[in-house]
Amino acid sequence: VLLEVNPKYNNVSDDKIDPNNITEGDRVWYISNNTDPDNCSRVSATVLKVHTDDYPNLYFTIRVEGGSKGNTEGSVRQTVASRLRSRQYSLNLTKSSSQLNVSESDAFALSIEDLVVDKVAKEYLTKKVSCDDDKHAILSQVAAECISIVISRCGLKGKSGLGTSRYEIFQIVSSIQDEICTLLELESAQIDEHLSFLIRCLSLILGGGQFAENAKYNCEILRFSSTPLKNRVLALYDLNKYNLRNNEGLHNQVRITLLRSLIAFADSINIEDSAQMWALLHDLSRRFDSNNTTDYMLLCIRAYDAISGSALREGREEISSHEEVVSNLIEIFICASEREIETNFVGEYFSLEIDDVVQKLHKPSWFEPFCSFRSKYSRDMRKSFCFGSKNHVEGLCQCLHSPLKQWESYHLLEFVTSTSEEIYSKEEVIVPATTAINLTKWGADLDEEDLSELEDDILVCGRWIPRQLMSSIERWCSEEHHIHEQSENSIKANMLSWIVCLSFLDSAASCDMRNKGSIISYIKKLGMIKVMFETVLTRSELDEKWISNMNTSGNLCSKATLSQIATYAVFRTVESVPTLCKMWWTDYCIRSQQKVMSKFVEHRVAPETLRRELDRINKASNLGELEISGSCVSREIIASYSQDECQLSVLIRIPPSFPLRNAEVDCKKTLGISEKRWRLWSLQIMRMLNNEDGSILDALMLWKQNVDKEFEGVEPCPVCYSVLCVKTHAMPNLECKTCQNRFHSSCLYKWFHSSGKSQCVI
């Protein structure tokens, strides 16, 4: 019944939203009637996408989740920030109901307010609130939520003053807070069952929904300050930091109670409380009852939302405790049970279509809130998510094999691979048992020097690839003869693990090219490429239709089908380990698949790989005097090395089906360098591109280093002060027997002629 209450509010210009502060996943209020935006109803909506293609003129795609009669629930539309508000009401609510131009809906809302206060609130909350009677305790909590609904949905628009609904509710809330503060002020203050019950009731009234939706602005509507509660809880926290952090003397109910209190006083948080707030939430979320992860997860996320929605929104990542909070939530996600579907928090379902409710009820109730938490905050809080995901990288890799958790784990692992930082230091590396067994088997046929080199390669893998991931792909290789008997989820998990492994490979290569060679040596020893292609090719779609529709420049999402994942796995494999793919294509690919594979590489992989490589070149900051330009149309890359006023140039031609076909290198000018030296440089570039999985940028940087060495130690000509002669592009080749300096022959002759002397220039 109350969902239909959406009264009109006046004077709403005080809660406009800055478009730059709107992020995907935000809950906003949409102004449905643009002809009179300051005096119309507002409809609850969720921001689906922020469009920046017309920056700074941002616009948004939203999903309308509810509204007054006449609005289409669940519709998706695009709008601008001027039609979005942060509240569903105006804070200027001092007028009486007779002055508010009360409509039929408004009158209904006012009658609901009076009814809830008279028949519910006074009955169960004005008397001494107690949890001694189980039935009364339950009804008291329900009454608290009814008040929350009245505040958030009806807005307390009626008269204010003694005897009004607003006055009665304010008195109820104040009395509960006063009793809580009195109990917390005692020297022997302890969070017992009664105090926990009072805090639970207060948090429900102030919007910490359990049977109802969350309501963020109840304190503002009621004009109630929860600062006294905040001060007492923070004081209690200061006295119990040690116990809280070491889990001594505090049971799980105490932690849940403190989380509820944090939600209750969120409106009174200010910037001075920032470090203390995040530290409190960190300590509350770091220890949890593994048997009740559902409610604990939901409370932690709501507490995070409450703090983030306060004055602490800015500067979160500068506080170390904030990173720890995100890390703790990821740990709870890893440990959360997949079978646990019951929860006391069911309010979120009431605003959904029935099909969405059925779909959500087939998943644990913690799952959707965690997904929303990750999607809403990960973009702005990237550093914290990188920190938290790296702390729990092994658990996330293990969750890739969970049908429920694998996609969230996949997205969280992307944060780790984006940092280009090793997972473990050399001293922290622990080689998985399966890898140790394989190393013993591989070493049986190797001499001592080769075995030592392989051990070094495995050590590099252990620093850059999580142990669980190494074990996973090794297990996949050992199950080669069972490929056709694997379940769909097992195959999907193996593919995702392989794609993540390739991301770790790229991360290691971006830090040091030598890391890539070591990891590829390990992959080659496993025979991973052959096993992977045998698994995915029969399930991928490499035809032209799929080629035109596949979004390889983006990333996978939870809606991806098995064939889409398989096709993406083929794309990433060819992109990251091209030489191994060429070897497989030459030695193992059957003739019927060669044509399809070649066409896929030519039309999809090669153009996208070249585009990404050119983007990487454009963003490179360590080129020095090396200038690189290229074209995706001509598929040619030209590199020029400036030396004084002259240039050394090299042209690389990338064939349409690269890496299945070899790249070519053309040296345009010798510029004083012998043909033998140029031929050596050309061979080095081609070898790196065609046989060592090197990128174009890496190959050209190698070429630059060779050029640098050619000029290293060569002093400029004392006449023209240049290493290369501007005219002949020759290096200084005439040595003066007097001063031992080398001169360009043309410069020396010109000096002799102009000066009329034939003695030493110096």
Side-chain angles (χ1 to χ4, degrees):
V1 171
L2 291 174
L3 284 176
E4 297 301 321
V5 180
N6 197 3
K8 296 182 179 180
Y9 296 103
N10 298 313
N11 205 4
V12 295
S13 60
D14 55 356
D15 65 334
K16 291 182 179 179
I17 306 177
D18 183 348
N20 295 307
N21 292 334
I22 299 176
T23 60
E24 294 175 8
D26 281 354
R27 178 77 174 273
V28 295
W29 296 91
Y30 172 67
I31 297 175
S32 56
N33 182 6
N34 197 35
T35 58
D36 188 14
D38 290 339
N39 294 285
C40 71
S41 61
R42 304 179 187 183
V43 183
S44 175
T46 301
V47 178
L48 301 180
K49 186 174 182 180
V50 179
H51 299 275
T52 59
D53 49 294
D54 190 28
Y55 189 84
N57 301 313
L58 301 177
Y59 62 100
F60 311 91
T61 298
I62 63 171
R63 176 183 288 116
V64 175
E65 297 178 354
S68 58
K69 189 175 180 180
N71 289 329
T72 303
E73 294 187 2
S75 63
V76 176
R77 64 189 69 182
Q78 290 185 343
T79 187
V80 293
S82 61
R83 296 188 66 173
L84 300 178
R85 295 290 187 269
S86 62
R87 304 180 182 91
Q88 71 172 120
Y89 55 85
S90 170
L91 297 182
N92 185 21
L93 300 175
T94 58
K95 298 179 180 180
S96 66
S97 58
S98 61
Q99 296 174 305
L100 286 174
N101 189 22
V102 179
S103 66
E104 181 179 350
S105 175
D106 298 331
F108 176 64
L110 292 173
S111 66
I112 289 292
E113 290 178 10
D114 295 338
L115 182 65
V116 169
V117 170
D118 291 339
K119 302 296 184 181
V120 180
K122 288 183 178 180
E123 179 69 23
Y124 297 102
L125 293 174
T126 54
K127 304 172 184 177
K128 183 175 178 60
V129 180
S130 173
C131 60
D132 296 336
D133 182 352
D134 290 342
K135 180 179 179 181
H136 188 276
I138 293 173
L139 292 176
S140 295
Q141 294 176 67
V142 174
E145 290 231 63
C146 287
I147 293 178
S148 174
I149 296 172
V150 164
I151 298 172
S152 61
R153 300 294 300 185
C154 301
L156 298 182
K157 300 191 313 172
K159 295 180 180 180
S160 58
L162 191 65
T164 63
S165 296
R166 172 184 290 275
Y167 174 83
E168 296 291 348
I169 292 175
F170 189 91
Q171 290 298 110
I172 291 171
V173 177
S174 298
S175 63
I176 295 176
Q177 177 173 260
D178 291 344
E179 185 176 356
I180 294 172
C181 291
T182 300
L183 293 173
L184 290 175
E185 285 174 357
L186 300 176
E187 292 185 4
S188 59
Q190 292 184 352
I191 299 181
D192 55 16
E193 189 174 354
H194 177 62
L195 181 57
S196 176
F197 174 73
L198 290 175
I199 293 176
R200 190 183 309 129
C201 288
L202 182 62
S203 67
L204 291 175
I205 293 175
L206 298 182
Q210 180 166 312
F211 300 110
E213 290 183 279
N214 268 359
K216 294 184 179 180
Y217 305 109
N218 282 9
C219 282
E220 295 181 35
I221 300 175
L222 192 58
R223 303 193 192 96
F224 174 80
S225 172
S226 56
T227 300
L229 175 62
K230 178 195 72 173
N231 294 337
R232 291 311 311 154
V233 170
L234 292 182
L236 181 68
Y237 167 64
D238 285 335
L239 292 174
N240 291 274
K241 282 182 181 178
Y242 179 80
N243 288 339
L244 195 60
R245 290 174 181 174
N246 293 277
N247 206 28
E248 296 178 5
L250 288 173
H251 52 78
N252 197 57
Q253 183 59 39
V254 173
R255 300 178 184 279
I256 289 179
T257 300
L258 288 174
L259 282 170
R260 290 184 183 276
S261 68
L262 197 156
I263 298 170
F265 63 67
D267 73 295
S268 62
I269 298 174
N270 52 53
I271 196 65
E272 288 76 18
D273 303 320
S274 57
Q276 206 171 12
M277 285 295 102
W278 290 117
L280 172 58
L281 183 54
H282 164 46
D283 288 334
L284 291 174
S285 59
R286 69 196 299 236
R287 304 269 187 178
F288 59 92
D289 181 4
S290 58
N291 296 319
N292 188 25
T293 53
T294 295
D295 288 359
Y296 207 83
M297 168 84 83
L298 291 171
L299 279 171
C300 287
I301 291 176
R302 288 186 177 186
Y304 187 99
D305 283 335
I307 299 178
S308 295
S310 67
L312 310 188
R313 186 178 183 89
E314 300 297 330
R316 283 173 289 188
E317 292 206 298
E318 281 67 39
I319 302 173
S320 59
S321 298
H322 176 267
E323 293 183 341
E324 298 289 351
V325 170
V326 175
S327 179
N328 294 342
L329 287 172
I330 293 175
E331 182 182 8
I332 299 174
F333 161 77
I334 293 171
C335 298
S337 171
E338 299 181 34
R339 297 184 300 274
E340 188 176 5
I341 62 173
E342 293 185 359
T343 179
N344 292 325
F345 295 89
V346 296
E348 62 175 296
Y349 298 128
F350 293 133
S351 62
L352 301 174
E353 295 288 348
I354 187 62
D355 292 340
D356 294 331
V357 174
V358 173
Q359 184 179 7
K360 284 193 173 186
L361 287 175
H362 281 82
K363 298 177 181 178
S365 52
W366 58 262
F367 182 73
E368 292 292 342
F370 182 83
C371 294
S372 299
F373 162 75
R374 194 265 311 162
S375 62
K376 180 177 181 179
Y377 294 109
S378 59
R379 186 175 66 175
D380 294 336
M381 299 291 105
R382 187 173 189 85
K383 180 181 175 182
S384 297
F385 276 84
C386 288
F387 174 84
S389 299
K390 186 176 180 180
N391 278 356
H392 303 289
V393 65
E394 299 292 349
L396 291 174
C397 289
Q398 196 167 9
C399 287
L400 288 173
H401 293 267
S402 162
L404 177 69
K405 300 179 182 179
Q406 59 188 188
W407 284 111
E408 283 303 303
S409 300
Y410 174 79
H411 292 308
L412 290 170
L413 286 168
E414 286 182 315
F415 291 110
V416 186
T417 59
S418 68
T419 61
S420 297
E421 297 176 357
E422 61 184 20
I423 305 299
Y424 303 106
S425 65
K426 189 175 182 179
E427 294 74 23
E428 294 173 329
V429 172
I430 300 176
V431 177
T434 53
T435 307
I437 295 172
N438 283 328
L439 184 59
T440 303
K441 181 175 63 175
W442 297 330
D445 301 326
L446 300 176
D447 57 36
E448 185 176 346
E449 184 177 346
D450 290 339
L451 178 59
S452 177
E453 184 179 348
L454 180 59
E455 288 174 346
D456 291 340
D457 292 338
I458 297 298
L459 184 62
V460 172
C461 292
R463 289 164 52 197
W464 286 93
I465 302 179
R467 293 186 292 273
Q468 287 288 344
L469 205 56
M470 293 177 68
S471 299
S472 179
I473 62 175
E474 288 175 19
R475 186 168 56 250
W476 188 10
C477 291
S478 67
E479 297 171 349
E480 181 178 356
H481 57 287
H482 298 303
I483 287 176
H484 300 291
E485 300 176 10
Q486 293 177 345
S487 66
E488 179 174 323
N489 181 70
S490 177
I491 294 172
K492 183 186 294 185
N494 286 335
M495 290 180 185
L496 290 176
S497 297
W498 172 243
I499 292 170
V500 172
C501 183
L502 292 176
S503 296
F504 278 109
L505 168 62
D506 293 341
S507 177
S510 66
C511 183
D512 189 334
M513 185 61 196
R514 291 172 294 182
N515 294 331
K516 186 171 187 178
S518 297
I519 298 175
I520 287 177
S521 175
Y522 164 70
I523 293 173
K524 186 177 180 180
K525 278 293 182 182
L526 282 175
M528 183 65 208
I529 301 301
K530 182 174 180 291
V531 174
M532 190 279 304
F533 276 123
E534 287 180 356
T535 303
V536 303
L537 282 182
T538 57
R539 296 170 174 86
S540 60
E541 299 179 14
L542 306 182
D543 54 34
E544 291 186 12
K545 180 180 179 181
W546 179 248
I547 290 171
S548 62
N549 293 332
M550 181 182 176
N551 181 23
T552 52
S553 59
N555 214 322
L556 294 174
C557 66
S558 58
K559 296 181 180 179
T561 63
L562 186 63
S563 62
Q564 290 173 326
I565 300 171
T567 307
Y568 188 73
V570 173
F571 173 87
R572 288 289 291 115
T573 304
V574 178
E575 181 186 40
S576 294
V577 287
T579 300
L580 294 183
C581 290
K582 182 171 65 175
M583 293 171 60
W584 167 84
W585 188 73
T586 303
D587 299 337
Y588 298 105
C589 186
I590 60 178
R591 187 176 297 273
S592 60
Q593 291 179 335
Q594 279 189 340
K595 185 177 180 181
V596 175
M597 186 70 179
S598 179
K599 199 169 185 179
F600 176 74
V601 170
E602 181 176 343
H603 287 84
R604 198 49 175 158
V605 182
E608 184 65 24
T609 302
L610 181 58
R611 184 191 67 78
R612 294 187 185 186
E613 188 62 32
L614 292 177
D615 287 344
R616 183 184 170 210
I617 290 172
N618 292 332
K619 295 175 182 177
S621 58
N622 60 339
L623 298 181
E625 296 179 346
L626 180 64
E627 297 180 0
I628 307 175
S629 61
S631 169
C632 292
V633 178
S634 64
R635 302 190 62 78
E636 292 183 347
I637 294 91
I638 300 175
S640 300
Y641 179 73
S642 299
Q643 187 68 26
D644 296 327
E645 297 180 9
C646 302
Q647 286 187 329
L648 305 171
S649 298
V650 62
L651 171 66
I652 300 176
R653 294 188 180 94
I654 306 297
S657 57
F658 181 81
L660 303 182
R661 303 296 180 189
N662 289 339
E664 300 175 356
V665 179
D666 179 21
C667 301
K668 284 189 171 183
K669 299 177 182 179
T670 57
L671 303 179
I673 306 300
S674 66
E675 184 179 352
K676 180 180 179 181
R677 176 66 64 183
W678 266 112
R679 186 176 291 112
L680 177 61
W681 290 350
S682 300
L683 290 174
Q684 288 174 336
I685 295 174
M686 286 190 290
R687 180 181 178 184
M688 193 167 189
L689 288 175
N690 299 325
N691 301 316
E692 296 182 0
D693 288 310
S695 66
I696 296 173
L697 180 59
D698 294 327
L700 290 175
M701 290 301 293
L702 176 66
W703 171 71
K704 178 181 180 296
Q705 292 170 9
N706 281 284
V707 173
D708 289 338
K709 289 180 180 180
E710 187 70 30
F711 290 101
E712 191 176 286
V714 180
E715 295 292 334
C717 172
V719 176
C720 68
Y721 306 108
S722 174
V723 173
L724 290 178
C725 177
V726 177
K727 183 177 180 180
T728 64
H729 291 176
M731 295 174 65
N733 55 2
L734 290 180
E735 183 178 351
C736 175
K737 295 181 180 180
T738 303
C739 67
Q740 306 300 318
N741 286 303
R742 288 183 174 271
F743 297 82
H744 297 127
S745 57
S746 59
C747 292
L748 193 58
Y749 294 147
K750 184 178 180 180
W751 189 87
F752 286 157
H753 179 73
S754 62
S755 66
K757 300 177 181 179
S758 59
Q759 59 189 19
C760 175
V761 173
I762 303 300

